[in-house]
Amino acid sequence: MLPARPISGVSKQPDDPATVWAALAPLLAGQPRVRLSRDAGKTYPQKHERKLTEALPSLPAAVRIFGKDGTCAAIFLDFDSSVAGTDWVQADVRAVQTWLHSVGARWIEDFSPNGGRHVYVPLARRVTFSEARDLVEALGTRYRSLDKTPHQNLLHGCMRTPGSPHKRGGHQELAMSLSMAYDIARRPNSAAVWAAMTNDLAAEIKAVRALRLEETFTPTTSDVPVVEQPVGRMSRTMQVLAQTGMYDTNRYASDSEARQAVILSAATAGLELVDVKRRMLQGTWPGLASFYARYAARHRFSSLRRDWMNALSYLSKKTVQTDRNDNVRRSPTSQPNTQAAEVKGIRPISNPDAEHRFIRTWRNALRIREVNYQQSRTGMARRMVLRALGEAAHMTGSRFIEFGVRSIAVATGLDHTTVGLHLRQLRAEKEPLVTLVEEARGTKGDLYMLTVPEELKGAAEDVAWQKGKIYALRPVFRELGLPAAFVFEALEHAPGMLTVEIVRLTRLSRSAVHEALEVLSAWNLVVRSPNRDWSIVAGTSLGQLAEQFGVLEAVALQLQRYRNDRIIWREWLAKNVNTVPELLSPGEDYPWEIFEGPPDEWSLSDMAFNRTG
């Protein structure tokens, strides 16, 4: 019996796209999540991921192939007409169907308006990422038009299912009756059929595994940049492995060895077993979860505990000297000092209370002035640069800020050259909120001062100070977008607002606010009450979402690039400058334009990972 159709907005014809979607999408998806494309089917970004429902989306929609446990409920075969034309696609589809029939498998087929075709093979026993990837890559050696990429990406693998709108108009249409397709989805292929499929492809599977041994392993192909720079103390390589399930087969011979490496790295980093378990259950580490999917569900966490105890046993065998060295490395004195009086280049403030009062008054002036900035991406970026300066001022307890453009770039998610452009525009305003006091010299950044314009002083001093912190762009909003960051900030300071109030407070367009609320709601960051007002969901962690999105990798990559700039700059100074570096100025004969100002010695970016909460 087919599921009930959605009550409103759905045609009552039995095989219309809405009915097809409602019947098949939930059964084929690896987890109840779907990604929408807002650029006519070109991309399906993570920020536009939603809960999968039976209601047909109005935009091209692709379901997630893999679940939080790193397994899939069906094999998705995408035959792309752009590779070799529709004739080749049809020939490949006929061939793969003949093969599926020979191994006793049943399948669902649909086709796109542009001539592409999808073949879905539902499975009674969910298979791991590695198993599915091996099989699809093996089939790719037989069929030229088969796109293997959906099964090669655990975090972002997704595909349109029958009924989904298509970018060229129309929908994914079934090449069979809905009743037959629904029967196949409800009575998927048995474990015996899966065994027959893998046995028949044994030679090809062996070949694709051998090919991986010959290739240079590049985890960046999984869309998660890798930087050999720890966040906390767990290496980025191990975090990427835990997220993607992809590893260097020259280093680890099997999934078992790879998973033990992740567990050992987590234990060494100071995580607890409950931390690892939470990341697996919440889908932050689906790659690691997939390594345990070979066990029955009731045995997976007992296997995890066994691996954890083995890791602790291994660590306990380290020498006392190693432990001492490790303790020295973990010493709090090795961490960046965030106290205002000790930040390099900033002298202690004689009256810190007065400075903080001034900074909060400046924040009032910023809120008033923001109405002048356009609602374009440029205007939002400029607002975020000002927030970064305000955050830096609170950190140092001073209206004087000596963080360079690279530090502000990390804080805002922008490129440092873009930050430099915004700063020049901001200080060139008739009544600026920031003033350039002294240009960068040597290893010191530009010295800026927060300024409350005369025209805003009265209004800024009369308005009550806004409670709480001011933030630049917290890492999670690199993925969710600037509008979402402003809307979330507004609800932080004033929960329980109606949409019209959020529009007024954020100075964003109504459509931008609606989309931002939709994005935040999809990731359980905000919730709407029966009274139709919005509030923040207290239990959702921005830091955990940033880790789940892989955004921290992008931050680490940017940090590493700027650290390299700092090294190159210091080397140049050591070779070419005979005077005290701090006395250099842009007028000197050195490659200033390469750096857009010298990389600063102390940076806001040193504390970037403390801003995830």
Side-chain angles (χ1 to χ4, degrees), residues 227-295:
V227 181
E228 291 297 337
Q229 176 67 31
V231 174
R233 283 159 285 158
M234 188 172 177
S235 79
R236 306 309 306 170
T237 301
M238 288 295 103
Q239 290 202 30
V240 171
L241 200 167
Q243 289 178 325
T244 67
M246 299 179 68
Y247 55 88
D248 187 349
T249 51
N250 288 294
R251 185 172 184 181
Y252 306 114
S254 65
D255 288 359
S256 297
E257 291 187 15
R259 85 185 190 205
Q260 190 63 56
V262 174
I263 296 300
L264 180 61
S265 178
T268 305
L271 272 66
E272 299 292 340
L273 177 58
V274 67
D275 298 322
V276 176
K277 185 175 181 180
R278 174 182 58 78
R279 285 169 168 80
M280 290 171 60
L281 288 173
Q282 293 181 343
T284 304
W285 285 356
L288 180 62
S290 73
F291 295 152
Y292 288 95
R294 56 179 292 192
Y295 301 108

Side-chain angles (χ1 to χ4, degrees), residues 58 87 101 118 133 162 239 260 377 391 470 476-477 538:
S58 59
D87 290 341
H101 179 74
H118 297 165
R133 178 189 177 199
Q239 290 202 30
Q260 190 63 56
R377 184 169 182 83
E391 182 181 16
I470 184 172
V476 68
F477 293 109

Side-chain angles (χ1 to χ4, degrees), residues 550-579:
V551 177
L552 298 184
E553 316 299 332
V555 178
L557 188 66
Q558 192 176 17
L559 284 170
Q560 186 64 43
R561 184 167 71 251
Y562 292 158
R563 287 192 181 101
N564 292 341
D565 283 355
R566 220 170 266 143
I567 293 171
I568 295 171
W569 179 244
R570 284 182 169 280
E571 288 178 350
W572 192 95
L573 287 175
K575 292 177 181 177
N576 297 278
V577 178
N578 296 321
T579 59

Side-chain angles (χ1 to χ4, degrees), residues 67-129:
K68 291 182 178 180
D69 61 352
T71 67
C72 60
I75 298 297
F76 289 63
L77 302 179
D78 180 10
F79 294 90
D80 190 350
S81 59
S82 66
V83 174
T86 56
D87 290 341
W88 203 299
V89 165
Q90 291 177 11
D92 279 350
V93 169
R94 284 196 297 269
V96 80
Q97 290 175 346
T98 300
W99 173 74
L100 288 169
H101 179 74
S102 70
V103 295
R106 301 199 305 161
W107 64 90
I108 299 170
E109 180 191 356
D110 70 4
F111 57 90
S112 307
N114 65 353
R117 288 180 178 263
H118 297 165
V119 174
Y120 313 88
V121 186
L123 302 170
R125 181 185 69 83
R126 296 175 68 103
V127 297
T128 67
F129 168 67

Side-chain angles (χ1 to χ4, degrees), residues 122-426:
L123 302 170
R125 181 185 69 83
R126 296 175 68 103
V127 297
T128 67
F129 168 67
S130 297
E131 292 172 320
R133 178 189 177 199
D134 283 347
L135 183 129
V136 174
E137 288 185 352
L139 286 174
T141 64
R142 292 186 179 183
Y143 309 112
R144 176 182 176 183
S145 63
L146 177 60
D147 181 5
K148 303 180 290 294
T149 56
H151 274 280
Q152 290 177 320
N153 198 311
L154 179 56
L155 295 176
H156 304 295
C158 57
M159 204 162 86
R160 293 188 312 276
T161 51
S164 169
H166 192 269
K167 61 183 178 182
R168 293 191 178 181
H171 300 79
Q172 292 292 129
E173 295 187 37
L174 282 173
M176 60 208 314
S177 69
L178 175 56
S179 59
M180 180 181 294
Y182 186 68
D183 179 69
I184 293 171
R186 287 298 301 267
R187 295 192 298 120
N189 295 285
S190 66
V193 171
W194 173 259
M197 293 167 63
T198 54
N199 288 338
D200 192 73
L201 289 171
E204 287 90 341
I205 290 175
K206 183 177 180 180
V208 296
R209 288 175 176 171
L211 182 62
R212 287 187 211 136
L213 291 173
E214 297 175 5
E215 295 176 341
T216 301
F217 179 66
T218 53
T220 50
T221 59
S222 65
D223 295 334
V224 183
V226 178
V227 181
E228 291 297 337
Q229 176 67 31
V231 174
R233 283 159 285 158
M234 188 172 177
S235 79
R236 306 309 306 170
T237 301
M238 288 295 103
Q239 290 202 30
V240 171
L241 200 167
Q243 289 178 325
T244 67
M246 299 179 68
Y247 55 88
D248 187 349
T249 51
N250 288 294
R251 185 172 184 181
Y252 306 114
S254 65
D255 288 359
S256 297
E257 291 187 15
R259 85 185 190 205
Q260 190 63 56
V262 174
I263 296 300
L264 180 61
S265 178
T268 305
L271 272 66
E272 299 292 340
L273 177 58
V274 67
D275 298 322
V276 176
K277 185 175 181 180
R278 174 182 58 78
R279 285 169 168 80
M280 290 171 60
L281 288 173
Q282 293 181 343
T284 304
W285 285 356
L288 180 62
S290 73
F291 295 152
Y292 288 95
R294 56 179 292 192
Y295 301 108
R298 64 182 182 278
H299 297 312
R300 289 174 188 172
F301 288 111
S302 60
S303 299
L304 170 64
R305 175 174 289 278
R306 183 179 63 249
D307 288 346
W308 185 262
M309 297 309 296
N310 289 339
L312 294 182
S313 176
Y314 172 82
L315 292 176
S316 68
K317 295 177 182 178
K318 286 189 173 184
T319 63
V320 174
Q321 184 61 43
T322 302
D323 289 335
R324 287 176 180 170
N325 291 340
D326 192 51
N327 288 334
V328 171
R329 183 177 64 84
R330 297 181 190 178
S331 171
T333 60
S334 301
Q335 301 300 316
N337 193 323
T338 61
Q339 297 304 311
E342 297 183 24
V343 175
K344 296 184 179 179
I346 305 295
R347 292 184 295 275
I349 301 300
S350 58
N351 191 345
D353 289 339
E355 284 297 292
H356 278 294
R357 288 196 294 271
F358 174 85
I359 294 168
R360 290 194 176 275
T361 301
W362 178 87
R363 286 172 56 181
N364 285 346
L366 170 61
R367 291 165 59 194
I368 298 170
R369 173 63 61 83
E370 279 184 327
V371 72
N372 296 334
Y373 294 117
Q374 298 178 359
Q375 297 176 1
S376 64
R377 184 169 182 83
T378 298
M380 287 189 288
R382 202 156 290 172
R383 292 167 65 181
M384 198 55 72
V385 169
L386 287 169
R387 277 166 168 71
L389 293 173
E391 182 181 16
H394 272 305
M395 284 184 180
T396 60
S398 169
R399 73 188 72 184
F400 294 95
I401 303 141
E402 199 175 88
F403 292 138
V405 290
R406 284 167 179 75
S407 301
I408 299 172
V410 174
T412 58
L414 302 171
D415 182 77
H416 67 281
T417 57
T418 305
V419 169
L421 175 63
H422 287 314
L423 286 171
R424 287 192 290 273
Q425 293 294 329
L426 286 169

